[in-house]
Amino acid sequence: MDFLEKIFAKYSQEQVIKWFRRICLAEALSWFFLFTAMIWIRVDPHGIIPIVYISTIGSIHGLFFTIYLIFLPSMRKIFAWDDEDFVFSLISAFFPFATIWIDKKLARFDRE
């Protein structure tokens, strides 16, 4: 994980936090669109547009999911998360809209 610290060391903590907040929102939003694509593919399983839509949205969601996971070790260091908070933020990546909760609750300096 040393290479991630070298990458993020080029930027200020405020900038990295700003990026993380945007990624949390983008990951949750892309999950919403992926959910709509899953419904659309069930309604019209033989149409070409739903297949292209679910492929595109699935790829975008996968990108944001991966970026979220890449940012987590840096966020742990910035916010001084203990093991419980880190594991919770890691697990929350697998639940719909949980990244927004991580942004609102865990990614704050004024937590007690």
Side-chain angles (χ1 to χ4, degrees):
M1 295 297 173
D2 190 36
F3 69 97
L4 286 176
E5 290 181 20
K6 289 180 183 177
I7 292 172
F8 290 121
K10 300 176 190 175
Y11 306 101
S12 68
Q13 282 188 356
E14 292 80 22
Q15 187 68 32
V16 175
I17 291 168
K18 185 177 173 183
W19 290 340
F20 182 71
R21 294 180 66 111
R22 289 181 181 172
I23 288 168
C24 286
L25 180 63
E27 198 274 337
L29 190 62
S30 68
W31 187 91
F32 171 75
F33 285 116
L34 184 62
F35 183 72
T36 63
M38 289 186 289
I39 292 172
W40 192 5
I41 199 79
R42 298 287 182 215
V43 171
D44 186 14
H46 302 293
I48 190 72
I49 294 174
I51 293 171
V52 170
Y53 181 68
I54 198 166
S55 299
T56 305
I57 294 299
S59 298
I60 292 170
H61 176 70
L63 175 71
F64 287 130
F65 176 80
T66 304
I67 293 172
Y68 174 81
L69 293 178
I70 289 171
F71 266 75
L72 280 182
S74 296
M75 292 297 106
R76 179 182 186 172
K77 186 175 180 182
I78 290 173
F79 291 112
W81 288 343
D82 58 1
D83 291 338
E84 181 182 342
D85 290 338
F86 180 71
V87 169
F88 188 74
S89 63
L90 184 65
I91 291 173
S92 72
F94 297 96
F95 292 98
F97 304 112
T99 56
I100 293 175
W101 188 87
I102 294 298
D103 174 37
K104 299 295 181 195
K105 298 293 182 189
L106 283 181
R108 296 185 317 183
F109 283 113
D110 60 349
R111 289 187 323 125
E112 292 185 13

